[in-house]
Amino acid sequence: NRRPPFRISMNDCNVYFSVATKDHWKTTMVRDVAGVYEDSTLFHHAMKVEYNYDIKEVADDGDCLFMAFAHQLYGDDSLHAIMREKCCDYMELHSEKFSEFIDTDNHYRDFAHYLNTMRTLRTWGDNLEITALSELYLRRVEVYAQETTPRITLSDSVNYNNELPPIRVSFKNGNHYNSVVAENHNDTILNSQQVGEFEDAVLGALSSL
């Protein structure tokens, strides 16, 4: 841990003062986001205490949702591009349903424009993509929005009557997802060497209906 220690002094009247080194300004946090680090730390601690879950932090660069899902499903967040591709393929296959939720008045010309945008790396995914991925993998999704009680994503379009564990992700700052790792996470992941094969089999079966 390379974080500097807290340095304080106390006088004879039990009054405390801050002891500042010459490079003190290099070690301070950003004042405008005061409380964010503390809230995140408290959330991590609560998840550990209540469920023995760890939070796997992923890059905050627009790919975070797909990174979190790739880590949940395959144990490897570097596979996020494949998660994105298969998610969009699934949404395209069910365009009649998913297109209803796209803002074509202000942001997108049509659903095809939305999908082309979403297929681009570093494009933020959100609730629509979570629903699509939940349906594709037939697994409910637990979203922990910095609280230990999750929001559950389910869909009326698929049957969740299986023994598959839920996909668990955390959500913070209004736009960032991380992977929530259970103690038995490694026992539940798919073979990363076969990434895309399961997805293609599902998509192929659905397209032939």
Side-chain angles (χ1 to χ4, degrees):
N1 188 346
R2 296 183 178 180
R3 294 174 181 170
F6 293 114
R7 298 182 178 97
I8 58 176
S9 65
M10 182 179 69
N11 64 14
D12 294 338
C13 297
N14 293 329
V15 176
Y16 291 91
F17 301 92
S18 173
V19 177
T21 59
K22 290 183 178 180
D23 63 346
H24 175 65
W25 63 273
K26 295 181 180 179
T27 67
T28 58
M29 297 182 178
V30 179
R31 184 178 61 183
D32 291 344
V33 293
V36 172
Y37 171 83
E38 293 82 355
D39 288 344
S40 179
T41 300
L42 290 170
F43 169 66
H44 285 218
H45 178 70
M47 292 288 278
K48 189 68 175 178
V49 170
E50 191 161 337
Y51 301 116
N52 199 24
Y53 290 167
D54 292 311
I55 308 298
K56 159 64 176 173
E57 300 274 352
V58 300
D60 186 3
D61 61 2
D63 290 322
C64 61
L65 174 64
F66 301 102
M67 283 185 175
F69 269 78
H71 185 263
Q72 280 288 293
L73 291 160
Y74 288 100
D76 186 350
D77 59 21
S78 71
L79 302 175
H80 61 88
I82 299 177
M83 297 294 100
R84 181 186 291 276
E85 175 190 353
K86 302 309 177 184
C87 176
C88 290
D89 288 345
Y90 184 87
M91 294 171 68
E92 184 174 19
L93 196 60
H94 296 277
S95 58
E96 183 176 342
K97 176 178 69 174
F98 287 104
S99 61
E100 296 179 3
F101 301 95
I102 303 305
D103 181 5
T104 55
D105 294 328
N106 301 305
H107 293 91
Y108 303 100
R109 294 189 301 272
D110 50 29
F111 187 56
H113 181 209
Y114 175 84
L115 278 183
N116 286 337
T117 303
M118 188 54 60
R119 289 184 187 277
T120 304
L121 292 177
R122 300 197 173 185
T123 301
W124 300 96
D126 209 343
N127 293 333
L128 207 59
E129 287 67 42
I130 290 176
T131 299
L133 289 166
S134 175
E135 293 182 4
L136 174 60
Y137 292 98
L138 296 178
R139 290 169 65 171
R140 59 192 176 91
V141 179
E142 296 179 354
V143 181
Y144 294 85
Q146 302 301 287
E147 297 179 348
T148 57
T149 300
R151 171 174 61 81
I152 310 296
T153 295
L154 294 167
S155 172
D156 295 333
S157 301
V158 298
N159 181 5
Y160 292 95
N161 187 24
N162 58 56
E163 297 182 356
L164 297 173
I167 296 168
R168 300 182 179 98
V169 297
S170 66
F171 181 65
K172 67 177 183 179
N173 299 342
N175 62 4
H176 184 66
Y177 292 91
N178 286 311
S179 173
V180 176
V181 184
E183 192 173 12
N184 66 338
H185 177 65
N186 289 335
D187 298 330
T188 67
I189 58 177
L190 302 172
N191 185 349
S192 62
Q193 300 300 313
Q194 298 175 332
V195 60
E197 295 182 13
F198 169 83
E199 295 84 350
D200 287 343
V202 173
L203 293 167
L206 290 173
S207 62
S208 64
L209 294 178

